[in-house]
Amino acid sequence: MHNTVKKVLLVITMVTLLGGLFTGILTYSNIGLSDTFVHQWAWSFVQAVCVLFPLGVGVMWVMNKLVAAFFTGFSTLNKNLIFGLGMAIIMEAIMALSTTYSNIGIGDMQRFGNAFLASYLMVLPVALVLSPLMTLLVKPKLDAFLAS
């Protein structure tokens, strides 16, 4: 299999696994395990991928610039951890907004706000645990593979 195809498939797999996990948690927080859970989760996942993947590239670029500018004296490991934690906080907020909008809508802003906050607070600990693991274990191998 061509190396470029392998790289694209790896990125798609990572986006699918992480996006699926996070939107699943967010959807569960919004609507619980109802009869419509699978449908709502799938729709939330599609919306999140369409919104978050392009937006995530921009957020990553900005976050890299900010970490490089403000943490010049820090080691590469510390910069990577700060980057990962910042990305988790920002991307989960965006994903929680997208998923809550998909599941709840904005007709009742108080309900939307409560659902957003509840889902964000439910998914954030998962993201904050996965972020350092991804930064320390997966990202170096992924970077090396994508650079090859």
Side-chain angles (χ1 to χ4, degrees), residues 64-104:
N64 268 323
K65 296 290 184 192
L66 290 172
V67 169
F70 289 104
F71 300 100
T72 55
F74 285 51
S75 70
T76 301
L77 174 64
N78 288 337
K79 286 180 185 179
N80 285 340
L81 286 171
I82 292 166
F83 170 82
L85 293 173
M87 286 298 295
I89 290 166
I90 294 168
M91 294 305 290
E92 292 317 310
I94 295 168
M95 192 176 294
L97 282 169
S98 171
T99 302
T100 303
Y101 174 75
S102 174
N103 292 323
I104 305 294

PDB file of all heavy atoms in Angstrom, residues 64-104:
ATOM      1  N   ASN A  64       0.189  26.186  18.656  1.00  0.00           N
ATOM      2  CA  ASN A  64       1.634  26.010  18.486  1.00  0.00           C
ATOM      3  C   ASN A  64       2.361  27.347  18.574  1.00  0.00           C
ATOM      4  O   ASN A  64       3.400  27.454  19.237  1.00  0.00           O
ATOM      5  CB  ASN A  64       1.953  25.343  17.148  1.00  0.00           C
ATOM      6  CG  ASN A  64       2.050  23.851  17.257  1.00  0.00           C
ATOM      7  OD1 ASN A  64       2.541  23.320  18.241  1.00  0.00           O
ATOM      8  ND2 ASN A  64       1.587  23.166  16.239  1.00  0.00           N
ATOM      9  N   LYS A  65       1.816  28.355  17.908  1.00  0.00           N
ATOM     10  CA  LYS A  65       2.432  29.693  17.911  1.00  0.00           C
ATOM     11  C   LYS A  65       2.419  30.284  19.326  1.00  0.00           C
ATOM     12  O   LYS A  65       3.413  30.870  19.765  1.00  0.00           O
ATOM     13  CB  LYS A  65       1.699  30.637  16.948  1.00  0.00           C
ATOM     14  CG  LYS A  65       1.773  30.222  15.501  1.00  0.00           C
ATOM     15  CD  LYS A  65       3.162  30.397  14.955  1.00  0.00           C
ATOM     16  CE  LYS A  65       3.179  30.074  13.479  1.00  0.00           C
ATOM     17  NZ  LYS A  65       4.525  29.962  12.946  1.00  0.00           N
ATOM     18  N   LEU A  66       1.297  30.145  20.028  1.00  0.00           N
ATOM     19  CA  LEU A  66       1.189  30.695  21.382  1.00  0.00           C
ATOM     20  C   LEU A  66       2.147  30.013  22.353  1.00  0.00           C
ATOM     21  O   LEU A  66       2.825  30.674  23.148  1.00  0.00           O
ATOM     22  CB  LEU A  66      -0.241  30.596  21.893  1.00  0.00           C
ATOM     23  CG  LEU A  66      -1.269  31.505  21.221  1.00  0.00           C
ATOM     24  CD1 LEU A  66      -2.676  31.163  21.691  1.00  0.00           C
ATOM     25  CD2 LEU A  66      -0.940  32.964  21.492  1.00  0.00           C
ATOM     26  N   VAL A  67       2.198  28.691  22.289  1.00  0.00           N
ATOM     27  CA  VAL A  67       3.093  27.946  23.191  1.00  0.00           C
ATOM     28  C   VAL A  67       4.539  28.312  22.890  1.00  0.00           C
ATOM     29  O   VAL A  67       5.328  28.553  23.809  1.00  0.00           O
ATOM     30  CB  VAL A  67       2.850  26.426  23.074  1.00  0.00           C
ATOM     31  CG1 VAL A  67       3.943  25.633  23.786  1.00  0.00           C
ATOM     32  CG2 VAL A  67       1.484  26.055  23.641  1.00  0.00           C
ATOM     33  N   ALA A  68       4.893  28.400  21.618  1.00  0.00           N
ATOM     34  CA  ALA A  68       6.268  28.764  21.251  1.00  0.00           C
ATOM     35  C   ALA A  68       6.611  30.180  21.716  1.00  0.00           C
ATOM     36  O   ALA A  68       7.737  30.438  22.163  1.00  0.00           O
ATOM     37  CB  ALA A  68       6.452  28.641  19.743  1.00  0.00           C
ATOM     38  N   ALA A  69       5.650  31.095  21.647  1.00  0.00           N
ATOM     39  CA  ALA A  69       5.908  32.493  22.015  1.00  0.00           C
ATOM     40  C   ALA A  69       5.973  32.713  23.529  1.00  0.00           C
ATOM     41  O   ALA A  69       6.810  33.481  24.004  1.00  0.00           O
ATOM     42  CB  ALA A  69       4.832  33.390  21.409  1.00  0.00           C
ATOM     43  N   PHE A  70       5.103  32.053  24.269  1.00  0.00           N
ATOM     44  CA  PHE A  70       4.988  32.328  25.698  1.00  0.00           C
ATOM     45  C   PHE A  70       5.793  31.390  26.598  1.00  0.00           C
ATOM     46  O   PHE A  70       5.997  31.686  27.768  1.00  0.00           O
ATOM     47  CB  PHE A  70       3.521  32.310  26.133  1.00  0.00           C
ATOM     48  CG  PHE A  70       2.743  33.491  25.636  1.00  0.00           C
ATOM     49  CD1 PHE A  70       1.860  33.360  24.584  1.00  0.00           C
ATOM     50  CD2 PHE A  70       2.912  34.745  26.210  1.00  0.00           C
ATOM     51  CE1 PHE A  70       1.138  34.447  24.114  1.00  0.00           C
ATOM     52  CE2 PHE A  70       2.204  35.844  25.749  1.00  0.00           C
ATOM     53  CZ  PHE A  70       1.317  35.699  24.695  1.00  0.00           C
ATOM     54  N   PHE A  71       6.215  30.266  26.088  1.00  0.00           N
ATOM     55  CA  PHE A  71       6.914  29.284  26.918  1.00  0.00           C
ATOM     56  C   PHE A  71       8.293  28.961  26.342  1.00  0.00           C
ATOM     57  O   PHE A  71       8.678  27.798  26.236  1.00  0.00           O
ATOM     58  CB  PHE A  71       6.059  28.017  27.060  1.00  0.00           C
ATOM     59  CG  PHE A  71       4.716  28.272  27.688  1.00  0.00           C
ATOM     60  CD1 PHE A  71       3.578  28.380  26.897  1.00  0.00           C
ATOM     61  CD2 PHE A  71       4.591  28.436  29.058  1.00  0.00           C
ATOM     62  CE1 PHE A  71       2.339  28.642  27.470  1.00  0.00           C
ATOM     63  CE2 PHE A  71       3.368  28.696  29.633  1.00  0.00           C
ATOM     64  CZ  PHE A  71       2.233  28.798  28.834  1.00  0.00           C
ATOM     65  N   THR A  72       9.032  30.005  25.997  1.00  0.00           N
ATOM     66  CA  THR A  72      10.320  29.829  25.327  1.00  0.00           C
ATOM     67  C   THR A  72      11.349  29.087  26.183  1.00  0.00           C
ATOM     68  O   THR A  72      12.160  28.345  25.650  1.00  0.00           O
ATOM     69  CB  THR A  72      10.905  31.201  24.909  1.00  0.00           C
ATOM     70  OG1 THR A  72      10.968  32.047  26.060  1.00  0.00           O
ATOM     71  CG2 THR A  72      10.067  31.854  23.841  1.00  0.00           C
ATOM     72  N   GLY A  73      11.319  29.265  27.482  1.00  0.00           N
ATOM     73  CA  GLY A  73      12.301  28.628  28.351  1.00  0.00           C
ATOM     74  C   GLY A  73      11.949  27.206  28.755  1.00  0.00           C
ATOM     75  O   GLY A  73      12.724  26.558  29.449  1.00  0.00           O
ATOM     76  N   PHE A  74      10.822  26.735  28.335  1.00  0.00           N
ATOM     77  CA  PHE A  74      10.366  25.399  28.738  1.00  0.00           C
ATOM     78  C   PHE A  74      10.979  24.335  27.826  1.00  0.00           C
ATOM     79  O   PHE A  74      11.300  24.592  26.677  1.00  0.00           O
ATOM     80  CB  PHE A  74       8.844  25.310  28.647  1.00  0.00           C
ATOM     81  CG  PHE A  74       8.116  26.019  29.757  1.00  0.00           C
ATOM     82  CD1 PHE A  74       8.397  27.330  30.100  1.00  0.00           C
ATOM     83  CD2 PHE A  74       7.113  25.375  30.458  1.00  0.00           C
ATOM     84  CE1 PHE A  74       7.724  27.990  31.113  1.00  0.00           C
ATOM     85  CE2 PHE A  74       6.432  26.011  31.476  1.00  0.00           C
ATOM     86  CZ  PHE A  74       6.734  27.320  31.807  1.00  0.00           C
ATOM     87  N   SER A  75      11.087  23.135  28.365  1.00  0.00           N
ATOM     88  CA  SER A  75      11.579  22.008  27.563  1.00  0.00           C
ATOM     89  C   SER A  75      10.533  21.624  26.520  1.00  0.00           C
ATOM     90  O   SER A  75       9.352  21.991  26.636  1.00  0.00           O
ATOM     91  CB  SER A  75      11.861  20.800  28.468  1.00  0.00           C
ATOM     92  OG  SER A  75      10.639  20.262  28.949  1.00  0.00           O
ATOM     93  N   THR A  76      10.960  20.876  25.523  1.00  0.00           N
ATOM     94  CA  THR A  76      10.043  20.413  24.479  1.00  0.00           C
ATOM     95  C   THR A  76       8.921  19.573  25.083  1.00  0.00           C
ATOM     96  O   THR A  76       7.764  19.710  24.686  1.00  0.00           O
ATOM     97  CB  THR A  76      10.808  19.596  23.416  1.00  0.00           C
ATOM     98  OG1 THR A  76      11.830  20.420  22.861  1.00  0.00           O
ATOM     99  CG2 THR A  76       9.891  19.115  22.320  1.00  0.00           C
ATOM    100  N   LEU A  77       9.262  18.737  26.046  1.00  0.00           N
ATOM    101  CA  LEU A  77       8.243  17.914  26.705  1.00  0.00           C
ATOM    102  C   LEU A  77       7.194  18.787  27.380  1.00  0.00           C
ATOM    103  O   LEU A  77       5.985  18.566  27.210  1.00  0.00           O
ATOM    104  CB  LEU A  77       8.892  16.988  27.734  1.00  0.00           C
ATOM    105  CG  LEU A  77       7.929  16.172  28.595  1.00  0.00           C
ATOM    106  CD1 LEU A  77       7.139  15.200  27.734  1.00  0.00           C
ATOM    107  CD2 LEU A  77       8.684  15.438  29.677  1.00  0.00           C
ATOM    108  N   ASN A  78       7.628  19.791  28.129  1.00  0.00           N
ATOM    109  CA  ASN A  78       6.677  20.678  28.801  1.00  0.00           C
ATOM    110  C   ASN A  78       5.837  21.460  27.795  1.00  0.00           C
ATOM    111  O   ASN A  78       4.639  21.651  28.001  1.00  0.00           O
ATOM    112  CB  ASN A  78       7.405  21.625  29.754  1.00  0.00           C
ATOM    113  CG  ASN A  78       7.909  20.909  30.983  1.00  0.00           C
ATOM    114  OD1 ASN A  78       7.404  19.864  31.366  1.00  0.00           O
ATOM    115  ND2 ASN A  78       8.936  21.463  31.600  1.00  0.00           N
ATOM    116  N   LYS A  79       6.456  21.925  26.727  1.00  0.00           N
ATOM    117  CA  LYS A  79       5.706  22.628  25.683  1.00  0.00           C
ATOM    118  C   LYS A  79       4.655  21.714  25.061  1.00  0.00           C
ATOM    119  O   LYS A  79       3.526  22.134  24.817  1.00  0.00           O
ATOM    120  CB  LYS A  79       6.643  23.151  24.597  1.00  0.00           C
ATOM    121  CG  LYS A  79       7.465  24.340  25.003  1.00  0.00           C
ATOM    122  CD  LYS A  79       8.350  24.772  23.840  1.00  0.00           C
ATOM    123  CE  LYS A  79       9.284  25.869  24.231  1.00  0.00           C
ATOM    124  NZ  LYS A  79      10.164  26.264  23.107  1.00  0.00           N
ATOM    125  N   ASN A  80       5.030  20.462  24.817  1.00  0.00           N
ATOM    126  CA  ASN A  80       4.076  19.511  24.240  1.00  0.00           C
ATOM    127  C   ASN A  80       2.914  19.238  25.195  1.00  0.00           C
ATOM    128  O   ASN A  80       1.762  19.113  24.763  1.00  0.00           O
ATOM    129  CB  ASN A  80       4.769  18.204  23.862  1.00  0.00           C
ATOM    130  CG  ASN A  80       5.599  18.332  22.608  1.00  0.00           C
ATOM    131  OD1 ASN A  80       5.407  19.242  21.808  1.00  0.00           O
ATOM    132  ND2 ASN A  80       6.536  17.431  22.435  1.00  0.00           N
ATOM    133  N   LEU A  81       3.203  19.134  26.484  1.00  0.00           N
ATOM    134  CA  LEU A  81       2.135  18.915  27.463  1.00  0.00           C
ATOM    135  C   LEU A  81       1.207  20.125  27.549  1.00  0.00           C
ATOM    136  O   LEU A  81      -0.019  19.964  27.597  1.00  0.00           O
ATOM    137  CB  LEU A  81       2.722  18.595  28.839  1.00  0.00           C
ATOM    138  CG  LEU A  81       3.325  17.202  28.987  1.00  0.00           C
ATOM    139  CD1 LEU A  81       4.066  17.078  30.308  1.00  0.00           C
ATOM    140  CD2 LEU A  81       2.258  16.137  28.853  1.00  0.00           C
ATOM    141  N   ILE A  82       1.764  21.319  27.548  1.00  0.00           N
ATOM    142  CA  ILE A  82       0.941  22.534  27.570  1.00  0.00           C
ATOM    143  C   ILE A  82       0.095  22.602  26.307  1.00  0.00           C
ATOM    144  O   ILE A  82      -1.094  22.912  26.356  1.00  0.00           O
ATOM    145  CB  ILE A  82       1.831  23.789  27.725  1.00  0.00           C
ATOM    146  CG1 ILE A  82       2.468  23.813  29.113  1.00  0.00           C
ATOM    147  CG2 ILE A  82       1.033  25.065  27.461  1.00  0.00           C
ATOM    148  CD1 ILE A  82       3.601  24.807  29.266  1.00  0.00           C
ATOM    149  N   PHE A  83       0.710  22.290  25.176  1.00  0.00           N
ATOM    150  CA  PHE A  83      -0.017  22.269  23.907  1.00  0.00           C
ATOM    151  C   PHE A  83      -1.181  21.277  23.976  1.00  0.00           C
ATOM    152  O   PHE A  83      -2.317  21.606  23.619  1.00  0.00           O
ATOM    153  CB  PHE A  83       0.925  21.894  22.757  1.00  0.00           C
ATOM    154  CG  PHE A  83       0.223  21.630  21.464  1.00  0.00           C
ATOM    155  CD1 PHE A  83      -0.141  22.673  20.645  1.00  0.00           C
ATOM    156  CD2 PHE A  83      -0.075  20.330  21.065  1.00  0.00           C
ATOM    157  CE1 PHE A  83      -0.803  22.438  19.444  1.00  0.00           C
ATOM    158  CE2 PHE A  83      -0.723  20.083  19.881  1.00  0.00           C
ATOM    159  CZ  PHE A  83      -1.087  21.136  19.063  1.00  0.00           C
ATOM    160  N   GLY A  84      -0.918  20.077  24.449  1.00  0.00           N
ATOM    161  CA  GLY A  84      -1.952  19.045  24.516  1.00  0.00           C
ATOM    162  C   GLY A  84      -3.092  19.413  25.448  1.00  0.00           C
ATOM    163  O   GLY A  84      -4.266  19.221  25.114  1.00  0.00           O
ATOM    164  N   LEU A  85      -2.756  19.956  26.601  1.00  0.00           N
ATOM    165  CA  LEU A  85      -3.799  20.357  27.549  1.00  0.00           C
ATOM    166  C   LEU A  85      -4.621  21.523  27.002  1.00  0.00           C
ATOM    167  O   LEU A  85      -5.850  21.540  27.122  1.00  0.00           O
ATOM    168  CB  LEU A  85      -3.182  20.704  28.900  1.00  0.00           C
ATOM    169  CG  LEU A  85      -2.548  19.530  29.654  1.00  0.00           C
ATOM    170  CD1 LEU A  85      -1.822  20.020  30.898  1.00  0.00           C
ATOM    171  CD2 LEU A  85      -3.583  18.481  30.001  1.00  0.00           C
ATOM    172  N   GLY A  86      -3.950  22.484  26.384  1.00  0.00           N
ATOM    173  CA  GLY A  86      -4.670  23.602  25.773  1.00  0.00           C
ATOM    174  C   GLY A  86      -5.590  23.143  24.662  1.00  0.00           C
ATOM    175  O   GLY A  86      -6.742  23.591  24.551  1.00  0.00           O
ATOM    176  N   MET A  87      -5.107  22.231  23.834  1.00  0.00           N
ATOM    177  CA  MET A  87      -5.937  21.693  22.750  1.00  0.00           C
ATOM    178  C   MET A  87      -7.145  20.948  23.311  1.00  0.00           C
ATOM    179  O   MET A  87      -8.253  21.069  22.790  1.00  0.00           O
ATOM    180  CB  MET A  87      -5.118  20.757  21.857  1.00  0.00           C
ATOM    181  CG  MET A  87      -4.145  21.462  20.948  1.00  0.00           C
ATOM    182  SD  MET A  87      -4.934  22.559  19.756  1.00  0.00           S
ATOM    183  CE  MET A  87      -5.856  21.398  18.766  1.00  0.00           C
ATOM    184  N   ALA A  88      -6.937  20.181  24.368  1.00  0.00           N
ATOM    185  CA  ALA A  88      -8.047  19.443  24.970  1.00  0.00           C
ATOM    186  C   ALA A  88      -9.119  20.404  25.471  1.00  0.00           C
ATOM    187  O   ALA A  88     -10.312  20.213  25.211  1.00  0.00           O
ATOM    188  CB  ALA A  88      -7.543  18.561  26.116  1.00  0.00           C
ATOM    189  N   ILE A  89      -8.714  21.445  26.157  1.00  0.00           N
ATOM    190  CA  ILE A  89      -9.671  22.400  26.721  1.00  0.00           C
ATOM    191  C   ILE A  89     -10.444  23.111  25.616  1.00  0.00           C
ATOM    192  O   ILE A  89     -11.672  23.210  25.663  1.00  0.00           O
ATOM    193  CB  ILE A  89      -8.935  23.409  27.633  1.00  0.00           C
ATOM    194  CG1 ILE A  89      -8.443  22.695  28.900  1.00  0.00           C
ATOM    195  CG2 ILE A  89      -9.819  24.598  27.972  1.00  0.00           C
ATOM    196  CD1 ILE A  89      -7.434  23.492  29.703  1.00  0.00           C
ATOM    197  N   ILE A  90      -9.730  23.573  24.595  1.00  0.00           N
ATOM    198  CA  ILE A  90     -10.378  24.326  23.516  1.00  0.00           C
ATOM    199  C   ILE A  90     -11.223  23.427  22.624  1.00  0.00           C
ATOM    200  O   ILE A  90     -12.389  23.728  22.340  1.00  0.00           O
ATOM    201  CB  ILE A  90      -9.317  25.074  22.681  1.00  0.00           C
ATOM    202  CG1 ILE A  90      -8.653  26.157  23.517  1.00  0.00           C
ATOM    203  CG2 ILE A  90      -9.938  25.672  21.415  1.00  0.00           C
ATOM    204  CD1 ILE A  90      -7.410  26.756  22.887  1.00  0.00           C
ATOM    205  N   MET A  91     -10.655  22.317  22.181  1.00  0.00           N
ATOM    206  CA  MET A  91     -11.383  21.462  21.227  1.00  0.00           C
ATOM    207  C   MET A  91     -12.595  20.806  21.872  1.00  0.00           C
ATOM    208  O   MET A  91     -13.623  20.624  21.219  1.00  0.00           O
ATOM    209  CB  MET A  91     -10.443  20.413  20.624  1.00  0.00           C
ATOM    210  CG  MET A  91      -9.346  21.023  19.755  1.00  0.00           C
ATOM    211  SD  MET A  91      -9.965  22.078  18.426  1.00  0.00           S
ATOM    212  CE  MET A  91     -10.699  20.873  17.358  1.00  0.00           C
ATOM    213  N   GLU A  92     -12.493  20.446  23.144  1.00  0.00           N
ATOM    214  CA  GLU A  92     -13.663  19.848  23.794  1.00  0.00           C
ATOM    215  C   GLU A  92     -14.767  20.877  23.973  1.00  0.00           C
ATOM    216  O   GLU A  92     -15.949  20.541  23.894  1.00  0.00           O
ATOM    217  CB  GLU A  92     -13.287  19.217  25.130  1.00  0.00           C
ATOM    218  CG  GLU A  92     -12.400  18.006  25.003  1.00  0.00           C
ATOM    219  CD  GLU A  92     -12.806  17.061  23.888  1.00  0.00           C
ATOM    220  OE1 GLU A  92     -13.987  16.680  23.797  1.00  0.00           O
ATOM    221  OE2 GLU A  92     -11.930  16.689  23.096  1.00  0.00           O
ATOM    222  N   ALA A  93     -14.398  22.130  24.207  1.00  0.00           N
ATOM    223  CA  ALA A  93     -15.424  23.175  24.293  1.00  0.00           C
ATOM    224  C   ALA A  93     -16.139  23.329  22.953  1.00  0.00           C
ATOM    225  O   ALA A  93     -17.368  23.408  22.900  1.00  0.00           O
ATOM    226  CB  ALA A  93     -14.797  24.500  24.724  1.00  0.00           C
ATOM    227  N   ILE A  94     -15.370  23.348  21.875  1.00  0.00           N
ATOM    228  CA  ILE A  94     -15.973  23.478  20.544  1.00  0.00           C
ATOM    229  C   ILE A  94     -16.827  22.251  20.226  1.00  0.00           C
ATOM    230  O   ILE A  94     -17.944  22.361  19.716  1.00  0.00           O
ATOM    231  CB  ILE A  94     -14.884  23.695  19.477  1.00  0.00           C
ATOM    232  CG1 ILE A  94     -14.177  25.026  19.721  1.00  0.00           C
ATOM    233  CG2 ILE A  94     -15.478  23.650  18.074  1.00  0.00           C
ATOM    234  CD1 ILE A  94     -12.901  25.215  18.918  1.00  0.00           C
ATOM    235  N   MET A  95     -16.315  21.066  20.556  1.00  0.00           N
ATOM    236  CA  MET A  95     -17.075  19.844  20.288  1.00  0.00           C
ATOM    237  C   MET A  95     -18.334  19.787  21.151  1.00  0.00           C
ATOM    238  O   MET A  95     -19.382  19.344  20.688  1.00  0.00           O
ATOM    239  CB  MET A  95     -16.207  18.608  20.526  1.00  0.00           C
ATOM    240  CG  MET A  95     -16.842  17.343  19.988  1.00  0.00           C
ATOM    241  SD  MET A  95     -15.803  15.878  20.157  1.00  0.00           S
ATOM    242  CE  MET A  95     -14.464  16.260  19.073  1.00  0.00           C
ATOM    243  N   ALA A  96     -18.245  20.238  22.399  1.00  0.00           N
ATOM    244  CA  ALA A  96     -19.424  20.263  23.268  1.00  0.00           C
ATOM    245  C   ALA A  96     -20.467  21.232  22.717  1.00  0.00           C
ATOM    246  O   ALA A  96     -21.669  20.940  22.748  1.00  0.00           O
ATOM    247  CB  ALA A  96     -19.034  20.633  24.699  1.00  0.00           C
ATOM    248  N   LEU A  97     -20.029  22.376  22.213  1.00  0.00           N
ATOM    249  CA  LEU A  97     -20.969  23.320  21.590  1.00  0.00           C
ATOM    250  C   LEU A  97     -21.647  22.696  20.385  1.00  0.00           C
ATOM    251  O   LEU A  97     -22.874  22.764  20.241  1.00  0.00           O
ATOM    252  CB  LEU A  97     -20.245  24.608  21.174  1.00  0.00           C
ATOM    253  CG  LEU A  97     -19.929  25.595  22.265  1.00  0.00           C
ATOM    254  CD1 LEU A  97     -18.994  26.682  21.752  1.00  0.00           C
ATOM    255  CD2 LEU A  97     -21.209  26.210  22.825  1.00  0.00           C
ATOM    256  N   SER A  98     -20.859  22.085  19.513  1.00  0.00           N
ATOM    257  CA  SER A  98     -21.402  21.468  18.302  1.00  0.00           C
ATOM    258  C   SER A  98     -22.373  20.339  18.628  1.00  0.00           C
ATOM    259  O   SER A  98     -23.471  20.262  18.056  1.00  0.00           O
ATOM    260  CB  SER A  98     -20.241  20.943  17.445  1.00  0.00           C
ATOM    261  OG  SER A  98     -20.700  20.174  16.370  1.00  0.00           O
ATOM    262  N   THR A  99     -21.977  19.470  19.531  1.00  0.00           N
ATOM    263  CA  THR A  99     -22.812  18.321  19.878  1.00  0.00           C
ATOM    264  C   THR A  99     -24.083  18.751  20.605  1.00  0.00           C
ATOM    265  O   THR A  99     -25.166  18.242  20.325  1.00  0.00           O
ATOM    266  CB  THR A  99     -22.010  17.316  20.726  1.00  0.00           C
ATOM    267  OG1 THR A  99     -20.856  16.918  19.990  1.00  0.00           O
ATOM    268  CG2 THR A  99     -22.840  16.096  21.067  1.00  0.00           C
ATOM    269  N   THR A 100     -23.951  19.693  21.520  1.00  0.00           N
ATOM    270  CA  THR A 100     -25.127  20.166  22.247  1.00  0.00           C
ATOM    271  C   THR A 100     -26.091  20.872  21.290  1.00  0.00           C
ATOM    272  O   THR A 100     -27.303  20.684  21.378  1.00  0.00           O
ATOM    273  CB  THR A 100     -24.722  21.101  23.407  1.00  0.00           C
ATOM    274  OG1 THR A 100     -23.820  20.385  24.255  1.00  0.00           O
ATOM    275  CG2 THR A 100     -25.930  21.535  24.217  1.00  0.00           C
ATOM    276  N   TYR A 101     -25.558  21.635  20.362  1.00  0.00           N
ATOM    277  CA  TYR A 101     -26.410  22.273  19.353  1.00  0.00           C
ATOM    278  C   TYR A 101     -27.136  21.212  18.536  1.00  0.00           C
ATOM    279  O   TYR A 101     -28.337  21.317  18.283  1.00  0.00           O
ATOM    280  CB  TYR A 101     -25.582  23.179  18.442  1.00  0.00           C
ATOM    281  CG  TYR A 101     -26.384  23.735  17.299  1.00  0.00           C
ATOM    282  CD1 TYR A 101     -27.291  24.764  17.511  1.00  0.00           C
ATOM    283  CD2 TYR A 101     -26.247  23.219  16.018  1.00  0.00           C
ATOM    284  CE1 TYR A 101     -28.049  25.272  16.472  1.00  0.00           C
ATOM    285  CE2 TYR A 101     -26.994  23.714  14.978  1.00  0.00           C
ATOM    286  CZ  TYR A 101     -27.894  24.747  15.198  1.00  0.00           C
ATOM    287  OH  TYR A 101     -28.640  25.235  14.166  1.00  0.00           O
ATOM    288  N   SER A 102     -26.429  20.172  18.152  1.00  0.00           N
ATOM    289  CA  SER A 102     -27.024  19.091  17.360  1.00  0.00           C
ATOM    290  C   SER A 102     -28.110  18.349  18.130  1.00  0.00           C
ATOM    291  O   SER A 102     -29.144  17.997  17.571  1.00  0.00           O
ATOM    292  CB  SER A 102     -25.927  18.110  16.943  1.00  0.00           C
ATOM    293  OG  SER A 102     -26.454  16.992  16.300  1.00  0.00           O
ATOM    294  N   ASN A 103     -27.880  18.114  19.419  1.00  0.00           N
ATOM    295  CA  ASN A 103     -28.805  17.312  20.222  1.00  0.00           C
ATOM    296  C   ASN A 103     -29.924  18.113  20.871  1.00  0.00           C
ATOM    297  O   ASN A 103     -31.032  17.606  21.032  1.00  0.00           O
ATOM    298  CB  ASN A 103     -28.042  16.563  21.316  1.00  0.00           C
ATOM    299  CG  ASN A 103     -27.149  15.491  20.753  1.00  0.00           C
ATOM    300  OD1 ASN A 103     -27.490  14.825  19.789  1.00  0.00           O
ATOM    301  ND2 ASN A 103     -25.981  15.344  21.330  1.00  0.00           N
ATOM    302  N   ILE A 104     -29.661  19.341  21.264  1.00  0.00           N
ATOM    303  CA  ILE A 104     -30.607  20.142  22.042  1.00  0.00           C
ATOM    304  C   ILE A 104     -31.176  21.297  21.228  1.00  0.00           C
ATOM    305  O   ILE A 104     -32.346  21.636  21.346  1.00  0.00           O
ATOM    306  CB  ILE A 104     -29.930  20.701  23.326  1.00  0.00           C
ATOM    307  CG1 ILE A 104     -29.315  19.589  24.177  1.00  0.00           C
ATOM    308  CG2 ILE A 104     -30.901  21.560  24.128  1.00  0.00           C
ATOM    309  CD1 ILE A 104     -30.301  18.621  24.775  1.00  0.00           C
TER     310      ILE A 104
END
